[in-house]
Amino acid sequence: MQERFVETAQQLEEFTRMVADSPWLAVDTEFLRERTYFPQLCLIQVANDEVAAAIDPMAIADLAPLQALLMNPRIEKVFHAARQDMEIFLNAWNTLPQPLFDTQPAAALLGLGDQVGYGKLIQQVLKTELPKDHSRTDWSRRPLDKAQLRYALDDVIYLGRAYLKMKSQLEKMHRLTWLEAEFASLADPQTYALEPMEMWKKVKGRQHLKGVKLAVLQALAAWREQQALAKNLPRRWILKDDVLLELARRSPKTIPELERIRGIDGGFLRKNGEAVLKRIQQAQQLPKHQWPKDKRPAARPDPEQEAVLDLLGAALRLIAHEAGLSPQVIASRKDLLALLNGENHTPLLQGWRKSLAGQPLGELLAGQRQLSMEQGKITFR
């Protein structure tokens, strides 16, 4: 395995030419987002089965050769837990690499656990323990030392080896197609679309508000999101969640009233006071049918429903055992309750989960299948 640290345009051109005919490339990124809204891209690692490179985007102004490489539709791009990497590429290039393969959902279909971490995946698939010494590294600091580069390159060298083994196993199990819808979603820019008017749903403590106060929270959370995006600052640097909640509760009408809310300082008042009061006033004037509704937890199942859920759970465990999967990878008890309640948008009725378990469990509910005891064992047919 050749290893390279790429920090000039010439080195980048040379590396991309070397790997341009690869059928697949393992890809990872290192970034920081503690002080910014958008992740600050600090390092990009790329490898095939012959060469691995750590590419320094902080030193190379034009990453066009790398962009062309990662957007090449003839090359499968391999990630682990791809979502954050996808957000970074979408922000940088306004497009996404595809086709792609994500080893995290693939691991679930191999019975290796749901949401498995990279280190554990490599230990399970390749029987190799990777060091964790640099998991909290500030990747924006230069120069990077040899140990940091070793850690970064291992992320793609072993990822590529795990991918080859996992893909082969999935093909033998006829499960590779099960992942197509999930991978297509990861490569769809709409998956990462920002909806400021939906950001109130992420505010901790919102469940204590209702009615017009939720409308105020929605308006303020949207305003905060727009400010954070425009200034490229973390949301909490604009307004913390507890301040948003207090503003929604008290809904101040004047600057002196706003000033009395803990967490609002003089600088914020001068720059944003009038804008915040305007958002509050606009939210309070909304007609009732436009107020947002926080989805309350479903009512606790009654004893009869609990019994049916236990029945579904038993059937699910049999299905999972036969498929060599953990039941939790297929469905949670919440998903089973959604199925029982006739909800159509549960994950249990989407993609591979539907054919494997959703449809058979639905047939159990309809009386078309049954659980029975045979020679001391439960069967599902």
Side-chain angles (χ1 to χ4, degrees), residues 105 107-109 111-115 325-332 352-353:
L109 294 189
L112 302 178
D114 191 23
Q115 304 293 313
L325 300 174
S326 165
Q328 290 76 24
V329 169
I330 304 172
S332 65
W352 63 268
R353 290 178 175 85

Side-chain angles (χ1 to χ4, degrees), residues 286-304:
L286 288 174
K288 189 173 182 178
H289 70 271
Q290 291 185 20
W291 296 349
K293 291 180 175 62
D294 199 6
K295 195 171 182 179
R296 303 296 177 181
R300 186 183 182 89
D302 60 34
E304 184 175 341

